Amino acid sequence: MVMRFHIVKIVIRGGERMMNEHAVEVENLEVRFDGQSILEDINFRLEHPSILSIIGPNGAGKTTLLRTIIGQITPVRGTIKVFGIPVKENLSQIRKLIGYVPQKRDIAQHIPIRVKDVVLMARLARNGPFYIPSKKDIRAAKEALDKVGLGSEFWKKKFTQLSGGQQQRVLIARALAVEPKILILDEPFNAIDIATEKKIIPLLFELRDKHDVTVIVVTHDINQLFSCSDKMLLLKRKVIGFGSPSEIIKRELLRELYGTDVTIIQQEQVCYVVERDRHV
């Protein structure tokens, strides 16, 4: 039997951020595939701008929820609104508001495409296949690349020559180049090193605080996203809990989410969560 321990530091904020509208509203959402319920009775409202972490084990429906929010999946019941706009009836408008980084990289490794072409992809896609990038497009792409900590020296590099962490940041830059009001990241820390992880997390704060962007991040494991989240959604096909970190870091909620006991240690305004996974 192999036992793995995770220790997570969670800073409990003393006050709420000032938020003036809802970035996302989900009401009575149900998604089914082949007659099987994947998501059931999902309800939450996310203020703007804020950082939401969606936490849950593999198979919990996290990616399905993201794809339903951006309109790639049609629910059998319920509604989703983005900034008060119903998603189902306004797909083209909604997708202009959202930058999405999927879990799996969608750039074929055998294609010798350059970083600049990857970052420009999303802007060009909105204008048709024969559109020639304008100065505004190029400026937005370079600014997005700079935001993720990759300078002008990366502009003409081949994407396949970059490290896994650098490739992930380029894909985030691609999503940011369309200047979204919501950035959605599906498992952004998979297959990247700790150094890259430490560069991405401060970016989330910067997007919220300096650029008025709501960030939604999905992960399957307990990790340091707890410490940078305004809200957390614990998901296991249904909502196990939704609220601020101080409201969600409860032993009974985490036990229901992961199916195993956890230890929570609190010292003043800091929590440490020790989660034990068992693998036979």
Side-chain angles (χ1 to χ4, degrees), residues 145-210:
L145 201 59
D146 186 62
K147 284 176 185 175
V148 300
L150 299 177
S152 58
E153 67 272 18
F154 285 87
W155 183 246
K156 294 185 178 181
K157 283 191 175 183
K158 291 182 179 179
F159 181 78
T160 53
Q161 292 178 336
L162 305 184
S163 68
Q166 290 170 337
Q167 287 185 356
Q168 183 73 333
R169 282 191 279 165
V170 169
L171 295 178
I172 294 174
R174 180 180 63 178
L176 291 176
V178 298
E179 301 170 288
K181 296 303 294 179
I182 300 175
L183 176 66
I184 296 179
L185 306 173
D186 192 355
E187 298 279 11
F189 304 115
N190 275 0
I192 65 171
D193 55 29
I194 294 177
T196 300
E197 189 172 310
K198 288 183 177 179
K199 291 176 181 178
I200 291 176
I201 289 176
L203 172 63
L204 307 185
F205 286 112
E206 180 182 344
L207 291 171
R208 182 195 64 189
D209 297 335
K210 295 184 179 180

Side-chain angles (χ1 to χ4, degrees), residues 61-254:
K62 303 183 299 296
T63 296
T64 297
L65 177 57
L66 297 187
R67 293 181 61 200
T68 307
I69 290 173
I70 65 176
Q72 290 185 352
I73 293 175
T74 301
V76 297
R77 185 170 67 90
T79 60
I80 299 179
K81 295 180 180 178
V82 172
F83 295 110
I85 305 169
V87 170
K88 185 178 179 180
E89 297 83 4
N90 303 276
L91 287 180
S92 61
Q93 185 178 0
I94 294 301
R95 288 173 181 171
K96 290 179 181 179
L97 298 172
I98 297 175
Y100 176 49
V101 181
Q103 182 175 348
K104 295 182 179 179
R105 296 189 179 102
D106 54 359
I107 306 296
Q109 294 297 306
H110 66 278
I111 299 176
I113 190 171
R114 298 191 182 276
V115 168
K116 66 183 182 71
D117 300 313
V118 174
V119 182
L120 281 167
M121 275 182 181
R123 293 189 70 93
L124 301 185
R126 294 183 176 182
N127 292 280
F130 302 109
Y131 177 78
I132 298 175
S134 65
K135 290 181 179 180
K136 181 180 179 181
D137 294 320
I138 293 173
R139 182 172 63 252
K142 288 184 174 181
E143 288 175 354
L145 201 59
D146 186 62
K147 284 176 185 175
V148 300
L150 299 177
S152 58
E153 67 272 18
F154 285 87
W155 183 246
K156 294 185 178 181
K157 283 191 175 183
K158 291 182 179 179
F159 181 78
T160 53
Q161 292 178 336
L162 305 184
S163 68
Q166 290 170 337
Q167 287 185 356
Q168 183 73 333
R169 282 191 279 165
V170 169
L171 295 178
I172 294 174
R174 180 180 63 178
L176 291 176
V178 298
E179 301 170 288
K181 296 303 294 179
I182 300 175
L183 176 66
I184 296 179
L185 306 173
D186 192 355
E187 298 279 11
F189 304 115
N190 275 0
I192 65 171
D193 55 29
I194 294 177
T196 300
E197 189 172 310
K198 288 183 177 179
K199 291 176 181 178
I200 291 176
I201 289 176
L203 172 63
L204 307 185
F205 286 112
E206 180 182 344
L207 291 171
R208 182 195 64 189
D209 297 335
K210 295 184 179 180
H211 302 285
D212 200 37
V213 174
T214 284
V215 182
I216 300 176
V217 187
V218 153
T219 182
H220 69 278
D221 206 354
I222 295 178
N223 57 59
Q224 63 207 60
L225 281 177
F226 279 110
S227 65
C228 70
S229 300
D230 296 300
K231 292 290 173 65
M232 291 170 42
L233 175 67
L234 304 185
L235 185 67
K236 194 174 183 180
R237 296 182 180 263
K238 63 179 182 178
V239 175
I240 304 300
F242 176 76
S244 66
S246 60
E247 295 170 326
I248 292 303
I249 305 306
K250 306 293 184 184
R251 184 177 291 107
E252 61 274 15
L253 293 178
L254 296 178

Side-chain angles (χ1 to χ4, degrees), residues 3-10 221-223 226 249-251 254-255 258 260-266 271-277:
M3 304 180 69
R4 187 174 76 249
F5 293 85
H6 307 280
I7 299 179
V8 183
K9 180 180 177 181
I10 302 157
D221 206 354
I222 295 178
N223 57 59
F226 279 110
I249 305 306
K250 306 293 184 184
R251 184 177 291 107
L254 296 178
R255 183 192 303 121
Y258 287 106
T260 186
D261 286 324
V262 299
T263 300
I264 300 175
I265 304 171
Q266 181 169 348
C271 280
Y272 296 89
V273 175
V274 181
E275 179 235 337
R276 182 177 65 185
D277 292 335

